[in-house]
Amino acid sequence: MTDRLAFVEDDPTISQMVTERLRSIGYEVNVFDRADRLIERPADYDLYILDRMLPGGTTGLELCGHIRRTSPAVPVLILSALSEPEHRVEGLREGADDYLAKPFEMEELLLRVRGMLRRRSWYRSLPSEGSAYEWADCGVNFETYQGRRGAHTFQLTQKECMLMKLLVENEGQVVSRDAILDRVWGYQVFPSTRTVDNFILRLRKHFEKEPGSPIHLLSVRGLGYRFSR
């Protein structure tokens, strides 16, 4: 089955270049130049590529938040000329699974798209413990992407949930940042390992009573991260 992509970009040159390339390798691409038009005409897509700054009053980040509320399991890639670390962190905080700064190399974009789509079979598989995993006063459901700490429940993004899945599957073992990038993101060459660090910080805010002094999502200096019940 052909993967269906939604591409939201108001720059006609970038829109045409990227769309033609994606279609040439077999993807079905629906193109929008405003975020509100996609909200008005919702449809099922396998992946969203969103420009961050868009006309019409609805930004790419706002659209990303809308997608997260309605389709939490679908991957979202943000494109933006805003490339500082704080901009990337803000995009990830809003629910994006990945963030690519403009200008970008076409092959890098394709690599990220392929990696995000290729991971779906592993994403859909469940750990040996089943769809729901519990520890201490926390829990995560790998089918619904919902997390819990105490009585508080919350929605995880696809990448947050899959990072937790990888750590749970390797409970007690150190998982390197490169291994995390390869397994969860699907590539190693382009993204910074700081991407992993940012996601770990987000997971600690979700699951740790004291995120600054974690007891479950542990750093192993110079090596990576380890999950402990």
Side-chain angles (χ1 to χ4, degrees), residues 109-160:
L109 173 64
L110 297 179
L111 185 65
R112 294 183 185 229
V113 168
R114 289 191 187 107
M116 295 169 83
L117 292 171
R118 189 172 62 245
R119 272 3 208 201
R120 285 178 300 173
S121 60
W122 178 68
Y123 289 166
R124 292 170 179 170
S125 68
L126 300 175
S128 58
E129 292 83 0
S131 61
Y133 182 82
E134 304 283 334
W135 74 98
D137 65 340
C138 299
V140 59
N141 188 303
F142 297 107
E143 288 185 312
T144 64
Y145 291 13
Q146 288 186 314
R148 177 187 61 79
R149 183 164 65 84
H152 175 59
T153 60
F154 44 86
Q155 190 69 53
L156 297 170
T157 69
Q158 182 192 57
K159 288 295 188 292
E160 286 174 334

Side-chain angles (χ1 to χ4, degrees), residues 36-80:
D36 52 357
R37 290 176 179 163
L38 185 56
I39 294 175
E40 292 166 0
R41 291 179 284 176
D44 292 328
Y45 292 101
D46 297 296
L47 183 143
Y48 292 86
I49 304 173
L50 312 177
D51 184 25
R52 176 170 175 154
M53 296 179 289
L54 294 164
T58 303
T59 68
L61 290 187
E62 291 169 334
L63 176 56
C64 179
H66 173 78
I67 293 168
R68 278 290 157 258
R69 290 188 294 274
T70 57
S71 303
V74 178
V76 177
L77 170 62
I78 294 287
L79 304 179
S80 180

Side-chain angles (χ1 to χ4, degrees), residues 13-32:
T13 301
I14 295 176
S15 179
Q16 180 178 359
M17 176 183 65
V18 172
T19 301
E20 289 180 353
R21 187 70 177 93
L22 290 170
R23 287 173 175 167
S24 73
I25 56 178
Y27 296 119
E28 178 184 337
V29 185
N30 287 359
V31 184
F32 304 85

